[in-house]
């Protein structure tokens, strides 16, 4: 008989992020700029809050706050975890199709607190090679997207 060890993992933070694809097959990303640092790009989204009934609900709320966007048909396609001070940080990545975007209704702390740096919308052609030239974080996401490019386009309902 072998002895099993039990490991307790504490989730310190849970986040919902979106691989948002528009009708033309372009990724909608956030370009982050902070004083004294090189810019980097990230998928829009953020922390799951107590008011959110699910991780998917948090995703839709975050897209509205951070981008002024509505998206549909979110489907979780990737899970990423990393150590954090409070335990493990877990990021749920969904692919979703962009339905509407109105930057004037962005309302999250990202846009109201200038001390947090820049949160600029950017688009990158998913079918082209531009993704390779940007610093998309986390690195695992930058590897996942091109490896699954066609499947992501299909899941988002963007043909060919």
């Amino acid at each position: 008989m072998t002895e099993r060890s039990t490991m307790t993992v504490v989730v310190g933070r849970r986040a919902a992020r979106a691989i948002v694809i528009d009708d033309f097959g372009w990724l909608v990303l956030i370009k982050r700029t902070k004083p004294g640092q090189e810019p980097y790009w990230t998928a829009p989204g953020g922390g799951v809050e107590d008011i959110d009934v699910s991780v998917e609900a948090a995703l839709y709320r975050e897209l509205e706050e951070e981008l002024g966007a509505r998206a549909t048909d979110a489907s979780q396609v990737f899970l990423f975890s990393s150590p954090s001070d409070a335990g493990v940080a877990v990021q749920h990545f969904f692919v979703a199709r962009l339905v509407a975007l109105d930057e004037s209704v962005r309302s999250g702390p990202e846009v109201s607190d200038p001390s947090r740096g820049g949160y600029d919308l950017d688009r990158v052609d998913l079918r082209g090679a531009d993704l390779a030239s940007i610093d998309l974080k986390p690195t695992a996401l930058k590897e996942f997207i091109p490896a699954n490019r066609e499947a992501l386009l299909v899941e988002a309902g963007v043909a060919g």
Side-chain angles (χ1 to χ4, degrees), residues 63-144:
L63 288 175
E64 188 171 326
E65 288 177 6
E66 199 168 274
L67 298 177
R70 282 188 307 109
T72 61
D73 302 323
S75 175
Q76 186 171 330
V77 293
F78 184 64
L79 187 66
F80 179 74
S81 63
S82 57
S84 74
D85 292 340
V88 175
V90 178
Q91 295 185 64
H92 299 259
F93 285 90
F94 294 79
V95 62
R97 185 167 185 167
L98 181 67
V99 174
L101 181 68
D102 181 355
E103 290 185 66
S104 71
V105 299
R106 295 169 73 187
S107 63
E110 302 85 4
V111 295
S112 61
D113 182 359
S115 71
R116 295 180 74 158
Y119 283 80
D120 300 313
L121 270 65
D122 198 5
R123 293 184 193 226
V124 176
D125 186 356
L126 184 56
R127 294 181 179 103
D130 294 342
L131 189 61
S133 66
I134 64 169
D135 184 12
L136 180 63
K137 295 187 181 199
T139 304
L141 180 63
K142 185 173 181 172
E143 295 166 356
F144 174 82

Side-chain angles (χ1 to χ4, degrees), residues 1-111:
M1 183 181 281
T2 56
E3 187 177 315
R4 290 185 174 181
S5 63
T6 303
M7 183 173 94
T8 303
V9 176
V10 175
V11 176
R13 181 173 193 268
R14 188 176 306 277
R17 298 201 168 276
I19 301 167
V20 179
I21 302 173
D22 71 12
D23 288 340
F24 304 103
W26 289 66
L27 291 173
V28 180
L29 299 171
I30 298 291
K31 181 181 179 184
R32 293 287 286 119
T33 51
K34 297 178 182 180
Q37 293 183 18
E38 289 294 316
Y40 67 91
W41 285 254
T42 188
V48 177
E49 297 176 3
D50 292 339
I51 61 167
D52 298 316
V53 297
S54 67
V55 176
E56 188 174 335
L59 174 77
Y60 289 121
R61 177 186 51 74
E62 284 286 341
L63 288 175
E64 188 171 326
E65 288 177 6
E66 199 168 274
L67 298 177
R70 282 188 307 109
T72 61
D73 302 323
S75 175
Q76 186 171 330
V77 293
F78 184 64
L79 187 66
F80 179 74
S81 63
S82 57
S84 74
D85 292 340
V88 175
V90 178
Q91 295 185 64
H92 299 259
F93 285 90
F94 294 79
V95 62
R97 185 167 185 167
L98 181 67
V99 174
L101 181 68
D102 181 355
E103 290 185 66
S104 71
V105 299
R106 295 169 73 187
S107 63
E110 302 85 4
V111 295

